């Protein structure tokens, strides 16, 4: 039904032509009917039918009112001034003028259009009042005041319509801007989530690969001499790879639409409570790992707990990769406003190369420290890492608790 109504709608030029024709007929016919049987000082036929010509011109010019609103208003105003100054009979000859005033205000540019409409109405009012100074009967002067009031109302109505269009356009623009902003925020959240997943994958895989690399080297070294040690190393590889796979499923599970994977509910992200397991794996990789964790005064937010775990994990991974079997001390002191983390190793304890050291030396340095520093920065904290004067390496991190979310 709506499509049919749109199809039957006339084009704008046709609508304007019909409106101009209607106003022209109303002005001419209305004036004739209004003054039928009454004495007229100057009939419409005087001066070569000038009265008829003015009424017809005042209506016909409306056909181009939207294209040239200012010239159309000026034309109808001059026609009205000439018509009433020459003393032609009163009637609805002002219809074209009122429509022109409305169009000027509705389709104009606001301030300038209102100034033109106001100045034109003021000039018209003065000329109309002067032309009606000796009108008889005196009660007929009421039509002059009607023309003045109707002119003001026409301009006010047009300005109201224009203001509504401007407000609607601004609202549409704000809606489009808000939609664009929401899309930008959604893309930013997606990028942040991708970065977080990439960081989690890096930490999990790097740690597991480092442990597996050490254990596989031990297996190759003692396979023919100490089968029992080789068996233990292979079991550590199996456990480390299994744990890494579980963590990978938990991390990448956020990309699934459902809340469970094929093996059941997804495991939660690692937290500080699992650092003891991390230390056990580090000891199996040949590190002498000491954990010193003070009990927190209150439960830590999950984001802080996970970040602390990942920082310790990445630091131990770096020790396994770059220092080999050595002493590592992990100190973690949760306070009321921040969590202080310190991981210190004593560096290489022997110059004898470990199995696979040649491969490790040829591997380009990773981005572990940069990733840890980015984790701290995202939570409003800071991280410092570097070699110690007496040998070894230390990572210090501070994660503020203020403003963190669970």
């Amino acid at each position: 039904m709506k499509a049919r109504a749109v199809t039957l709608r006339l084009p704008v030029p046709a609508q304007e032509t019909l409106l101009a024709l209607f106003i022209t007929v109303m002005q001419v016919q209305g004036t004739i009917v209004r003054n039928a049987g009454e004495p007229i000082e100057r009939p419409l036929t005087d001066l070569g039918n000038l009265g008829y010509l003015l009424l017809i011109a005042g209506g016909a010019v409306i056909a181009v009112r939207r294209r040239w609103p200012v010239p159309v208003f000026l034309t109808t105003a001059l026609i009205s001034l000439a018509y009433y100054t020459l003393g032609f009979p009163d009637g609805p000859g002002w219809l074209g003028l009122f429509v022109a005033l409305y169009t000027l205000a509705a389709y104009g540019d606001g301030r300038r259009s209102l100034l033109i409409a106001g100045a034109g109405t003021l000039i018209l009012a003065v000329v109309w009042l002067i032309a009606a100074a000796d009108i008889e009967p005196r009660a007929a002067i009421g039509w002059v005041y009607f023309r003045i009031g109707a002119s003001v109302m026409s301009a006010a109505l047009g300005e109201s319509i224009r203001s509504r269009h401007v407000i609607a356009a601004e609202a549409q623009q704000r809606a489009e801007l808000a939609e664009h902003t929401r899309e930008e925020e959604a893309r930013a959240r997606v990028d942040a989530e991708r970065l977080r997943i990439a960081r989690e994958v890096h930490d999990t895989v790097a740690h597991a690969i480092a442990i597996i690399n050490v254990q596989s080297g031990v297996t190759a070294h003692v396979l023919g001499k100490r089968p029992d040690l080789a068996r233990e190393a292979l079991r550590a590889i199996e456990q480390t790879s299994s744990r890494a796979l579980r963590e990978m499923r938990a991390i990448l599970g956020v990309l699934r639409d459902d809340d469970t994977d094929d093996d059941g509910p997804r495991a939660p992200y690692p937290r500080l409570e699992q650092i003891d397991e991390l230390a056990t794996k580090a000891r199996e990789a040949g590190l002498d790992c000491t954990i010193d964790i003070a009990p927190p005064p209150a439960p830590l937010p999950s984001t802080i707990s996970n970040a602390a775990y990942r920082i310790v994990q990445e630091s131990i991974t770096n020790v396994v990769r770059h220092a080999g079997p050595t002493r590592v001390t992990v100190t973690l002191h949760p306070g009321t406003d921040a969590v202080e983390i310190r991981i210190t190793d004593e560096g290489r304890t022997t110059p004898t190369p470990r199995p696979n050291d040649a491969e490790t030396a040829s591997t380009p340095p990773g981005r572990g420290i940069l990733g840890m520093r980015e984790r701290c920065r995202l939570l409003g904290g800071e991280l410092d890492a570097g070699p110690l004067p007496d040998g070894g390496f230390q990572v210090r991190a501070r994660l503020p608790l203020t403003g963190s979310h669970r």
Side-chain angles (χ1 to χ4, degrees):
M1 195 64 165
K2 183 178 180 181
R4 183 179 179 183
V6 172
T7 304
L8 295 177
R9 186 176 181 179
L10 292 175
V12 173
Q15 296 178 33
E16 296 301 305
T17 301
L18 289 178
L19 177 62
L21 180 61
F22 173 77
I23 291 176
T24 301
V25 173
M26 287 294 296
Q27 289 190 155
V28 175
Q29 186 65 25
T31 302
I32 294 174
V33 174
R34 161 72 174 76
N35 297 278
E38 294 186 5
I40 300 175
E41 294 183 5
R42 171 162 288 174
L44 298 176
T45 54
D46 276 8
L47 304 177
N49 294 314
L50 181 59
Y52 284 110
L53 294 177
L54 291 175
L55 292 176
I56 293 173
V61 74
I62 296 301
V64 293
R65 65 187 181 101
R66 295 195 186 187
R67 188 171 184 181
W68 296 300
V70 175
V72 168
F73 166 67
L74 296 177
T75 301
T76 55
L78 291 174
I79 290 174
S80 180
L81 290 177
Y83 185 90
Y84 288 104
T85 300
L86 295 174
F88 285 109
D90 201 357
W94 23 256
L95 287 177
L97 173 64
F98 295 162
V99 173
L101 264 173
Y102 164 81
T103 305
L104 174 63
Y107 296 94
D109 56 2
R111 180 181 178 85
R112 187 176 69 94
S113 300
L114 286 179
L115 288 176
I116 295 174
T121 302
L122 179 61
I123 295 174
L124 286 169
V126 172
V127 174
W128 286 339
L129 289 173
I130 294 175
D134 55 351
I135 192 173
E136 292 293 341
R138 296 302 299 169
I141 199 173
W143 284 103
V144 178
Y145 293 112
F146 168 78
R147 293 199 297 269
I148 296 173
S151 299
V152 174
M153 291 178 61
S154 298
L157 179 61
E159 173 60 19
S160 175
I161 297 299
R162 188 196 68 84
S163 299
R164 290 181 59 185
H165 289 166
V166 170
I167 293 173
E170 291 177 350
Q172 178 68 22
Q173 184 178 5
R174 287 195 298 269
E176 293 175 355
L177 179 60
E179 181 65 23
H180 180 72
T181 303
R182 283 194 295 269
E183 292 176 358
E184 291 292 335
E185 291 176 354
R187 282 194 291 268
R189 286 194 296 269
V190 170
D191 292 342
E193 182 66 10
R194 288 174 176 171
L195 178 60
R196 185 191 66 80
I197 292 174
R199 189 179 294 114
E200 294 286 342
V201 170
H202 169 270
D203 292 345
T204 299
V205 173
H207 178 74
I209 293 300
I211 299 297
I212 291 172
N213 179 65
V214 172
Q215 296 294 349
S216 62
V218 172
T219 301
H221 187 66
V222 302
L223 183 60
K225 303 176 184 178
R226 299 285 302 275
D228 54 333
L229 291 180
R231 189 177 299 107
E232 290 297 327
L234 290 173
R235 186 176 296 110
I237 291 174
E238 178 187 10
Q239 295 173 352
T240 301
S241 59
S242 176
R243 177 182 176 83
L245 286 174
R246 288 198 303 272
E247 290 191 18
M248 287 287 291
R249 283 197 295 268
I251 294 169
L252 300 180
V254 298
L255 302 179
R256 296 168 59 94
D257 293 333
D258 54 356
D259 294 330
T260 60
D261 56 20
D262 296 337
D263 300 329
R266 295 198 295 261
Y269 291 134
R271 299 168 67 97
L272 278 181
E273 291 79 0
Q274 298 172 255
I275 283 188
D276 288 337
E277 300 177 15
L278 194 62
T280 301
K281 299 300 179 183
R283 295 186 186 102
E284 293 175 357
L287 299 182
D288 182 3
C289 187
T290 302
I291 304 294
D292 178 15
I293 301 180
L300 295 178
S302 60
T303 53
I304 298 297
S305 182
N306 176 251
Y309 177 92
R310 291 304 189 190
I311 290 173
V312 174
Q313 182 187 51
E314 180 64 28
S315 299
I316 291 178
T317 300
N318 289 339
V319 174
V320 172
R321 291 179 59 192
H322 302 295
T326 186
R327 182 185 298 275
V328 179
T329 302
V330 177
T331 304
L332 193 144
H333 289 160
T336 57
D337 58 346
V339 176
E340 303 286 345
I341 306 170
R342 186 169 65 253
I343 304 97
T344 307
D345 70 83
E346 296 182 357
R348 285 188 179 273
T349 58
T350 173
T352 304
R354 297 178 294 121
N356 297 333
D357 268 357
E359 297 178 8
T360 304
S362 63
T363 303
R367 299 172 60 86
I369 293 178
L370 179 60
M372 291 188 291
R373 185 170 287 116
E374 289 176 351
R375 280 185 183 275
C376 291
R377 187 179 297 115
L378 287 174
L379 296 174
E382 54 188 13
L383 182 138
D384 184 29
L388 298 173
D390 298 331
F393 199 87
Q394 185 177 77
V395 175
R396 297 187 303 275
R398 182 178 185 276
L399 302 175
L401 298 175
T402 305
S404 59
H405 301 281
R406 294 187 178 278

